[in-house]
PDB file of all heavy atoms in Angstrom:
ATOM      1  N   SER L 253     182.917  46.112 -22.930  1.00  0.00           N
ATOM      2  CA  SER L 253     183.327  47.043 -21.870  1.00  0.00           C
ATOM      3  C   SER L 253     183.400  46.363 -20.521  1.00  0.00           C
ATOM      4  O   SER L 253     183.980  46.888 -19.591  1.00  0.00           O
ATOM      5  CB  SER L 253     182.352  48.217 -21.805  1.00  0.00           C
ATOM      6  OG  SER L 253     181.115  47.780 -21.296  1.00  0.00           O
ATOM      7  N   GLN L 259     190.462  52.754 -15.651  1.00  0.00           N
ATOM      8  CA  GLN L 259     191.312  53.455 -14.697  1.00  0.00           C
ATOM      9  C   GLN L 259     190.932  53.063 -13.281  1.00  0.00           C
ATOM     10  O   GLN L 259     189.765  52.853 -12.967  1.00  0.00           O
ATOM     11  CB  GLN L 259     191.121  54.968 -14.867  1.00  0.00           C
ATOM     12  CG  GLN L 259     191.641  55.489 -16.201  1.00  0.00           C
ATOM     13  CD  GLN L 259     193.126  55.292 -16.360  1.00  0.00           C
ATOM     14  OE1 GLN L 259     193.875  55.456 -15.404  1.00  0.00           O
ATOM     15  NE2 GLN L 259     193.567  54.919 -17.552  1.00  0.00           N
ATOM     16  N   PHE L 278     177.543  69.861   6.661  1.00  0.00           N
ATOM     17  CA  PHE L 278     176.347  70.214   7.419  1.00  0.00           C
ATOM     18  C   PHE L 278     176.087  69.214   8.534  1.00  0.00           C
ATOM     19  O   PHE L 278     175.833  69.580   9.662  1.00  0.00           O
ATOM     20  CB  PHE L 278     175.137  70.281   6.493  1.00  0.00           C
ATOM     21  CG  PHE L 278     173.854  70.456   7.230  1.00  0.00           C
ATOM     22  CD1 PHE L 278     173.503  71.694   7.744  1.00  0.00           C
ATOM     23  CD2 PHE L 278     173.012  69.390   7.455  1.00  0.00           C
ATOM     24  CE1 PHE L 278     172.325  71.862   8.445  1.00  0.00           C
ATOM     25  CE2 PHE L 278     171.835  69.543   8.161  1.00  0.00           C
ATOM     26  CZ  PHE L 278     171.501  70.792   8.651  1.00  0.00           C
ATOM     27  N   ARG L 396     166.964  49.260  20.759  1.00  0.00           N
ATOM     28  CA  ARG L 396     166.741  49.944  22.032  1.00  0.00           C
ATOM     29  C   ARG L 396     167.651  51.168  22.072  1.00  0.00           C
ATOM     30  O   ARG L 396     168.707  51.181  22.696  1.00  0.00           O
ATOM     31  CB  ARG L 396     167.023  49.000  23.198  1.00  0.00           C
ATOM     32  CG  ARG L 396     165.959  47.941  23.405  1.00  0.00           C
ATOM     33  CD  ARG L 396     164.590  48.573  23.706  1.00  0.00           C
ATOM     34  NE  ARG L 396     164.624  49.485  24.838  1.00  0.00           N
ATOM     35  CZ  ARG L 396     164.394  49.115  26.091  1.00  0.00           C
ATOM     36  NH1 ARG L 396     164.077  47.864  26.359  1.00  0.00           N
ATOM     37  NH2 ARG L 396     164.458  49.988  27.067  1.00  0.00           N
ATOM     38  N   PRO L 414     185.626  55.992  22.657  1.00  0.00           N
ATOM     39  CA  PRO L 414     185.160  55.170  21.537  1.00  0.00           C
ATOM     40  C   PRO L 414     186.256  55.019  20.483  1.00  0.00           C
ATOM     41  O   PRO L 414     187.050  55.934  20.266  1.00  0.00           O
ATOM     42  CB  PRO L 414     183.970  55.960  20.995  1.00  0.00           C
ATOM     43  CG  PRO L 414     184.215  57.376  21.400  1.00  0.00           C
ATOM     44  CD  PRO L 414     184.954  57.307  22.708  1.00  0.00           C
ATOM     45  N   LEU L 509     176.431  54.323 -15.445  1.00  0.00           N
ATOM     46  CA  LEU L 509     176.763  53.020 -16.010  1.00  0.00           C
ATOM     47  C   LEU L 509     178.245  52.874 -16.320  1.00  0.00           C
ATOM     48  O   LEU L 509     178.814  51.780 -16.199  1.00  0.00           O
ATOM     49  CB  LEU L 509     175.939  52.783 -17.279  1.00  0.00           C
ATOM     50  CG  LEU L 509     174.419  52.846 -17.095  1.00  0.00           C
ATOM     51  CD1 LEU L 509     173.714  52.479 -18.384  1.00  0.00           C
ATOM     52  CD2 LEU L 509     173.965  51.934 -15.975  1.00  0.00           C
ATOM     53  N   PRO L 596     161.253  27.374  -8.567  1.00  0.00           N
ATOM     54  CA  PRO L 596     160.732  28.740  -8.703  1.00  0.00           C
ATOM     55  C   PRO L 596     159.924  29.123  -7.481  1.00  0.00           C
ATOM     56  O   PRO L 596     159.094  28.343  -7.001  1.00  0.00           O
ATOM     57  CB  PRO L 596     159.842  28.652  -9.955  1.00  0.00           C
ATOM     58  CG  PRO L 596     160.343  27.467 -10.715  1.00  0.00           C
ATOM     59  CD  PRO L 596     160.823  26.497  -9.672  1.00  0.00           C
ATOM     60  N   VAL L 614     146.277  33.391 -22.538  1.00  0.00           N
ATOM     61  CA  VAL L 614     145.353  32.782 -21.581  1.00  0.00           C
ATOM     62  C   VAL L 614     145.751  31.350 -21.235  1.00  0.00           C
ATOM     63  O   VAL L 614     145.785  30.965 -20.054  1.00  0.00           O
ATOM     64  CB  VAL L 614     143.911  32.826 -22.130  1.00  0.00           C
ATOM     65  CG1 VAL L 614     142.951  32.160 -21.156  1.00  0.00           C
ATOM     66  CG2 VAL L 614     143.496  34.260 -22.412  1.00  0.00           C
ATOM     67  N   THR L 746     131.966  67.535 -22.097  1.00  0.00           N
ATOM     68  CA  THR L 746     131.974  66.829 -23.378  1.00  0.00           C
ATOM     69  C   THR L 746     130.552  66.590 -23.872  1.00  0.00           C
ATOM     70  O   THR L 746     130.296  66.586 -25.083  1.00  0.00           O
ATOM     71  CB  THR L 746     132.708  65.479 -23.238  1.00  0.00           C
ATOM     72  OG1 THR L 746     134.013  65.722 -22.701  1.00  0.00           O
ATOM     73  CG2 THR L 746     132.843  64.781 -24.574  1.00  0.00           C
ATOM     74  N   LEU L 848     142.538  82.280 -37.709  1.00  0.00           N
ATOM     75  CA  LEU L 848     141.910  83.589 -37.560  1.00  0.00           C
ATOM     76  C   LEU L 848     142.293  84.519 -38.719  1.00  0.00           C
ATOM     77  O   LEU L 848     141.428  85.148 -39.336  1.00  0.00           O
ATOM     78  CB  LEU L 848     142.329  84.202 -36.227  1.00  0.00           C
ATOM     79  CG  LEU L 848     141.940  85.667 -35.987  1.00  0.00           C
ATOM     80  CD1 LEU L 848     140.430  85.829 -35.985  1.00  0.00           C
ATOM     81  CD2 LEU L 848     142.526  86.160 -34.670  1.00  0.00           C
ATOM     82  N   THR L1041     145.906  80.867 -75.269  1.00  0.00           N
ATOM     83  CA  THR L1041     145.716  80.351 -76.636  1.00  0.00           C
ATOM     84  C   THR L1041     144.514  79.430 -76.659  1.00  0.00           C
ATOM     85  O   THR L1041     144.163  78.827 -75.660  1.00  0.00           O
ATOM     86  CB  THR L1041     146.958  79.566 -77.086  1.00  0.00           C
ATOM     87  OG1 THR L1041     147.173  78.499 -76.166  1.00  0.00           O
ATOM     88  CG2 THR L1041     148.182  80.466 -77.127  1.00  0.00           C
TER      89      THR L1041
END
Side-chain angles (χ1 to χ4, degrees):
S253 70
Q259 293 297 321
F278 172 77
R396 286 299 305 269
L509 302 185
V614 178
T746 305
L848 171 62
T1041 58

